[in-house]
Amino acid sequence: MTCSRFVNLPGALLALLLALSGAAQAQPTPQLPALLRDARYCEIVPVHVTREGLRASVYNTLGFDDCPAGKWEAITRLDLLRQFETLAVVMNGPRHFLMDGIIASGATKTGEVITVGGITFAKRAEIGLSLHQAMGPAYTEQTIERDTTYRFDAGKPVFQLTGPDGAVYVMQSYAQILEPALTYADLPGLGAKLTLPAGWSYATRVPEQDLMLTAAGTATVIQDNLKNTYQKMIPR
């Protein structure tokens, strides 16, 4: 989950979210859009320094609106400084989801709700980052704390990467960060635009049964060189 805009804030070891509990209790519970596949969203990711290392909180707009372009582009460094005291803040988006359903539980289901620049975000995940992960190149695995099941409907295309060891990563969202004109219709031919490392491949497949991509506590994700995000499938 890397950035379209990366805001470095002065001062070290400032890693606290501003008081959010009251605002969160006053906000509505986010509801998933009726059509989740190709739903547009944005994320804000404050990065913190903790005793255990770097840690990031992931907030996104899913269930509130489609991240209006004007409001998103208008968010400033001052807006982020007012919301967070932190090492850095990543603005990640716009992006589009590719699954057809999300079942969330635990902390993922009951995340905090905040408003920045007139856009409402809900907390969806926590990421523990090593320095290698934080500075790592594309196609580097990251572990995310998340309790979710993503459902990809039978008969609809799934876009995936396969690593040199045979590991399969299913695209969960595509990004319009480096390729603003990228659309859902472009994804079957995306492999021609990717700079794949040796031994990697990109493909489209249509599952005959619903594909359930479950993260029970943690998920392993990667991004390609265009910042599209994939979750690793766990063999059964």
Side-chain angles (χ1 to χ4, degrees):
M1 295 184 180
T2 45
C3 62
S4 62
R5 279 184 275 169
F6 188 73
V7 180
N8 290 310
L9 305 182
L13 302 181
L14 293 176
L16 298 176
L17 291 166
L18 295 179
L20 300 175
S21 57
Q25 293 169 359
Q27 296 288 346
T29 301
Q31 300 295 322
L32 297 181
L35 295 176
L36 187 56
R37 182 174 287 244
D38 206 21
R40 173 186 161 108
Y41 71 99
C42 296
E43 292 180 332
I44 287 181
V45 187
V47 180
H48 317 283
V49 176
T50 73
R51 291 182 179 181
E52 291 74 32
L54 295 177
R55 194 161 187 84
S57 301
V58 181
Y59 296 82
N60 76 31
T61 59
L62 186 66
F64 294 108
D65 57 37
D66 63 354
C67 183
K71 290 183 179 180
W72 177 250
E73 294 299 328
I75 293 176
T76 66
R77 175 186 173 90
L78 182 58
D79 293 326
L80 298 173
L81 283 170
R82 285 172 174 166
Q83 189 69 55
F84 307 107
E85 293 181 5
T86 184
L87 171 68
V89 179
V90 176
M91 293 184 65
N92 179 27
R95 310 185 70 89
H96 292 250
F97 271 124
L98 290 175
M99 68 289 291
D100 298 287
I102 299 177
I103 302 168
S105 61
T108 304
K109 184 177 181 180
T110 58
E112 300 157 309
V113 177
I114 63 172
T115 300
V116 181
I119 303 177
T120 303
F121 300 81
K123 187 175 183 179
R124 299 294 186 181
E126 288 278 345
I127 308 171
L129 296 174
S130 67
L131 287 175
H132 172 69
Q133 288 175 316
M135 301 175 67
Y139 308 98
T140 299
E141 288 189 349
Q142 295 187 18
T143 299
I144 297 177
E145 296 176 16
R146 187 171 64 201
D147 292 280
T148 53
T149 296
Y150 293 159
R151 189 192 78 250
F152 298 81
D153 287 349
K156 296 181 181 179
V158 170
F159 311 99
Q160 63 186 44
L161 291 170
T162 302
D165 61 353
V168 175
Y169 305 82
V170 175
M171 190 187 294
Q172 65 185 40
S173 69
Y174 70 90
Q176 295 173 317
I177 298 170
L178 299 181
E179 290 278 342
L182 184 67
T183 68
Y184 180 81
D186 298 325
L187 298 182
L190 183 66
K193 294 185 176 182
L194 297 179
T195 305
L196 294 169
W200 288 76
S201 62
Y202 176 88
T204 302
R205 69 183 178 96
V206 180
E208 295 181 357
Q209 298 180 336
D210 288 354
L211 172 63
M212 309 298 284
L213 203 60
T214 299
T218 62
T220 301
V221 300
I222 63 171
Q223 286 193 334
D224 63 28
N225 56 287
L226 295 180
K227 301 190 184 300
N228 306 306
T229 303
Y230 306 73
Q231 181 172 319
K232 187 176 186 178
M233 291 187 63
I234 305 301
R236 294 185 176 180

